[in-house]
Structures are given as C-alpha cells and as structure tokens.
Amino acid sequence: MAATSAATFSVGSAISFGPKVSQLPQSKPFVVRFNSLNPLTNFCGLKASTLVNCESESSFLGKESVMALQGSFASKAHRSSQRPQYHLNPQASYKVAILGAAGGIGQPLALLIKMSPLVSALHLYDIANVKGVAADLSHCNTPSQVLDFTGASELADSLKGVNVVVIPAGVPRKPGMTRDDLFNINANIVKTLVEAVADNCPDAFIHIISNPVNSTVPIAAEVLKQKGVYNPKKLFGVSTLDVVRANTFVAQKKNLKLIDVDVPVVGGHAGITILPLLSKTKPSVSFSDEEVQELTVRIQNAGTEVVEAKAGAGSATLSMAYAAARFVETSLRALDGDDDVYECTFVQSDLTELPFFASRVKLGRNGVEALISSDLQGLTEYEQKALEALKPELKASIEKGIAFAQKQPVAA
Ligand SMILES: NC(=O)c1ccc[n+]([C@@H]2O[C@H](COP(=O)([O-])OP(=O)(O)OC[C@H]3O[C@@H](n4cnc5c(N)ncnc54)[C@H](O)[C@@H]3O)[C@@H](O)[C@H]2O)c1
Ligand SMILES: O=C(O)C[C@H](O)C(=O)O
C-alpha cells in the first residue's frame, strides 16, 4: 500500500572511523510511520518492519496496541518532520545469517528478523536442533525465505552471499560466573565461526554477541587479520542491550516516556566496563548523586540480575534478541542508504588509548563512518573517574583475546 500524507515519528538513540564527529546528532534508531490510511510500517520500535495495516485482520498488532503506539509517538511528529526522511527501498533485499540460531537468543532473534521487510533470506545455522526452528519460522507469512544449516559441513553454505552475520553461538553464564568464565569455551567457538565468515562472506557486517564480548571481538579481529580480510568498520561487538537497559531504567526512575529516552553507554560489555553516560541522556534530565550511583550500578549489573533470576537456566535471551534485532535493523538501514543511523557498539576505536571501545558510531553503507567523540567530552567527575577505572579491566580483556588468537593462528 502506498503511504499517503505520512507523518513520521521517531524513537530511540543517536550518533565518529575515519573522522571523529564532535557534534552529537539527534538519535534516530527507529521510525514508525502512520498515515491517513493507517498503515504501520514498523512494529514495536524495530524500524521499517513489515507493512501492517491497522485495520487489517492480518495485523499481528492488535488495533488497541496500534492506537497506544500512535498515542505514544504523537508528540514526536513535529520534531521528526524537520528531519531528512529515510524511505524504505521497496527493492531492499538483504541476507542475514544467525550462527547459533537454535539457542535462547537465536530463536527469538530469528523471529524478529523474519519480520523485517529489508530481509529476503534468513540463514539459520547451529550445531543442532535448527531444522525444527527453521520449519516453524518458515510458516510465518512474511517475505523472507528461511533456510537451515546444521553442523560444520554446512557452515560455509550458510554464509554465502550474506550481508549481515550475527553470532550468538556459545555458552551463557550461570549464577556465580563472570562473563570471562565463558572465555575458554566461547573463544574457540567464535574463532571457528569467524574463520568461516572470513572465507565465505568477508564483506559482511559481523555482529558478535557471544561473551565475553570484550575478548571475543578482539579474537574476531585477529582471525580476520590473519585471513587478510579485516575491515574494522564492519566488525561490531553488540552492546545494544546496555543501551536498551539504560533507557528503560532511566525512564522508569525519572517517570519519562520510555520511547523518548536515549542514554549513550560506552566502554565495554562486562561489569564496570559498562559505562552509561547519564549526563548525556536525551532528553536532558538531572540526576542526584544517589540516582547516578544507583542507576549506573543497576545498568552494570543488569545481566547478572537476569542470570540470578533465571537461576541456572541461562542469561538474557528475550531482551538480547530485541536488542540484537534492533542492531540488525539499524545495520540494514545503513546498508540501504539511510544516512542518519547511529548506534552504540564495541568497535576498533581511537577515542581512548584502548584499541577497542564501545561508543556511539555513525553507520553507513561501508560500516562505521565515524566514531562520536563528543560523548566523551564534558563528562561529570563521576563519569570521568569511572572511565579511568574501567580501562585496566577492559585492556586486560582485549589483550587476552588477542593473545588467544595469536597463539593459535588460522590456516591462511
Ligand atoms: N552481548 C550481549 O549483550 C549478550 C547478551 C546475552 C547473552 N550473550 C551471550 O550470548 C551467548 C549465547 O547465549 P544463549 O542464551 O543464546 O545461549 P544458548 O546456550 O541458549 O544458545 C547458544 C546456541 O549456540 C549453539 N552453538 C554452540 N556452539 C556452536 C558452534 N560451534 N556453532 C554454532 N552454534 C553453536 C548452541 O547449540 C546453542 O543453540 C552467550 O555467550 C551469552 O553470554 C551476550
Ligand atoms: O550477563 C550475561 O552473562 C549475558 C549478557 O552479557 C547480558 O548482559 O545480559
């Protein structure tokens, strides 16, 4: 259905590889459009999903949910009408692969990606149980084709022609464990999978979810270097969940509309290396010292909060799938030519003396176009101290990953 008189409403976060950008652009990870004919071109905050007609019986969002969404976005209409608009390319047709697709994250992530109109093929790879997941998912009447691949012999095929590879393969934490306790198992899994990515789709965006992200991303970088295909602009540690949590917790604490809140989270993805920059929250909010301390610690420990609540049954899966789907959607929009795409992610960086660092980045067709340096300027004393305090731990995790990969070089 062609959109007529569409008002666009945007939600979410904003924001330097190559040039550093010192001005902070307005956040815009998601956009929801409504028009006089009531089509909703997005779902639940994941920008540009399947065209859903609010009046249609085929809508998976109830009419009430749609009305609630319309209400919550209404205040944004004026602001976003002043922005350049990105229009979904009807020819958009990207291939996404999930490695570890039968797992706790992989399954809901596959479902969310299946709902994107930007995706023409969804490749599901795992060492086991992926056939059933693919059969189940393939019955959803959204455009993308779902293909399953099981075991090492089918890994290469799962990666052919793929634009974005998401890697949630590996073991999750149990209560009492740190993310670094997963290193011995997950380091090898990530190394093997990234070798295959290097051989079969070296130009793809690579999203690493498997923990410890602070080490698995440097491992992936080393593997890609050894294979001669490393492009630092296309290798991402997925730290989106930290932003999702920060936005949620801040909105709850300050009684703000969830959809408006955007908190940049920098550093890494483990304990004190997760540094929410509350002073940079949009819209501008003031926090007492106690609130800053309480929110920062809650955001840093949010993964552990879920691990303990699940009591041995794993770590965050649903919120992680949501966050990973958001990052996939953002990446596809960047690939599709939207020039207003910003996300926080753990990447090779020169914003600090550390070789990898999570910050906001501007994404484009070729990956990271710029790292946003302005977030690290004008920090509060609390944030500046926390930034200095996280560096030794993050440095050690990065070096551990690099040393692991260098000790067992890949076959050329
Ligand atoms: N970056 C983040 O913010 C974040 C958030 C949550 C979880 N995680 C991490 O994501 C990882 C997965 O978590 P989960 O809850 O989905 O675990 P899970 O055990 O439910 O699923 C992992 C899946 O990986 C598969 N797998 C194992 N080895 C594989 C290999 N060599 N090739 C392909 N698939 C393989 C398993 O068969 C399983 O299906 C964990 O390391 C967890 O710590 C990261
Ligand atoms: O906490 C974990 O082990 C999983 C993940 O990194 C998270 O932040 O939820």
Side-chain angles (χ1 to χ4, degrees), residues 99-106 125-128 168-173 182 186 189 193 208-211 213 238-239 241 269 314-317 320:
L99 312 184
I105 297 168
Y125 172 82
D126 206 302
I127 49 174
V171 291
R173 286 201 281 165
L182 306 172
N186 290 352
I189 292 174
L193 295 173
I208 308 278
I209 294 175
S210 318
N211 273 316
V213 166
V238 181
S239 59
L241 182 54
H269 177 69
S315 57
T317 54
M320 183 61 239

Side-chain angles (χ1 to χ4, degrees), residues 118-350:
L118 292 166
V119 179
S120 59
L122 180 53
H123 292 188
L124 304 184
Y125 172 82
D126 206 302
I127 49 174
N129 303 325
V130 76
K131 253 192 169 19
V133 174
D136 187 356
L137 199 56
S138 69
H139 293 184
C140 298
N141 61 336
T142 62
S144 49
Q145 186 189 15
V146 181
L147 297 174
D148 63 279
F149 303 85
T150 305
S153 64
E154 297 185 7
L155 177 56
D157 283 343
S158 77
L159 294 167
K160 298 260 159 64
V162 160
N163 304 101
V164 177
V165 184
V166 191
I167 308 186
V171 291
R173 286 201 281 165
K174 288 190 179 348
M177 293 172 81
T178 66
R179 291 176 182 82
D180 186 60
D181 291 334
L182 306 172
F183 186 99
N184 289 344
I185 298 176
N186 290 352
N188 271 309
I189 292 174
V190 170
K191 176 176 179 285
T192 307
L193 295 173
V194 174
E195 284 174 26
V197 172
D199 291 341
N200 296 286
C201 53
D203 288 333
F205 282 23
I206 308 168
H207 294 186
I208 308 278
I209 294 175
S210 318
N211 273 316
V213 166
N214 292 355
S215 303
T216 51
V217 172
I219 289 170
E222 281 307 306
V223 168
L224 293 161
K225 277 184 205 164
Q226 290 165 16
K227 289 275 190 183
V229 295
Y230 179 46
N231 182 347
K233 298 179 182 186
K234 293 188 174 181
L235 175 65
F236 308 92
V238 181
S239 59
T240 327
L241 182 54
D242 300 317
V243 175
V244 164
R245 287 167 168 159
N247 294 351
T248 304
F249 301 160
V250 165
Q252 287 168 348
K253 172 104 280 42
K254 303 304 279 186
N255 208 13
L256 298 169
K257 233 184 250 169
L258 247 172
I259 228 130
D260 287 337
V261 178
D262 181 23
V263 183
V265 183
V266 302
H269 177 69
I272 63 160
T273 73
I274 300 169
L275 179 56
L277 299 178
L278 294 166
S279 69
K280 309 279 178 178
T281 298
K282 303 255 169 163
S284 179
V285 202
S286 58
F287 299 95
S288 67
D289 292 350
E290 292 70 34
E291 284 174 331
V292 169
Q293 172 70 10
E294 191 194 315
L295 280 164
T296 302
V297 169
R298 177 148 190 232
I299 294 159
Q300 292 173 334
N301 289 339
T304 306
E305 186 179 317
V306 177
V307 168
E308 284 170 359
K310 291 200 175 182
S315 57
T317 54
L318 302 174
S319 52
M320 183 61 239
Y322 169 81
R326 162 175 158 168
F327 194 46
V328 168
E329 193 77 9
T330 325
S331 298
L332 294 177
R333 279 201 284 126
L335 280 169
D336 201 44
D338 187 349
D339 66 355
D340 192 21
V341 176
Y342 298 88
E343 280 286 5
C344 284
T345 172
F346 184 65
V347 290
Q348 182 176 311
S349 176
D350 60 2

